[in-house]
Amino acid sequence: MSIREVSIRDDSIRLGQFLKLAGLAEDGSHAKDLIEAQDVTVNDEVEVRRGRQLRHGDVVAVDGEQARLVANR
């Protein structure tokens, strides 16, 4: 399975924002629903906190789609 790389300028980003940025959620409401339904994993562990701070290298997965947070170079 391929992992899409998504770059950001800052050192971290909240999970809800990253889901939208990576195209794993349509909007903030969809991101909230995915997280509440426990459909989101961060580094292979279910995450239920929408405000979880993600750092470079973290891998987020939803329904078999994966995205890795990378530094904007």
Side-chain angles (χ1 to χ4, degrees), residues 26-71:
E26 296 169 13
D27 54 32
S29 177
H30 185 220
K32 180 181 176 186
D33 292 344
L34 289 169
I35 293 166
E36 286 180 354
Q38 299 186 5
D39 290 337
V40 178
T41 62
V42 176
N43 301 327
D44 295 321
E45 294 185 14
V46 173
E47 182 55 70
V48 296
R49 298 170 295 164
R50 190 170 52 167
R52 156 95 186 250
Q53 291 291 319
L54 301 176
R55 307 255 181 240
H56 301 293
D58 285 341
V59 176
V60 177
V62 178
D63 295 331
E65 288 189 64
Q66 293 184 311
R68 177 184 293 122
L69 182 59
V70 296

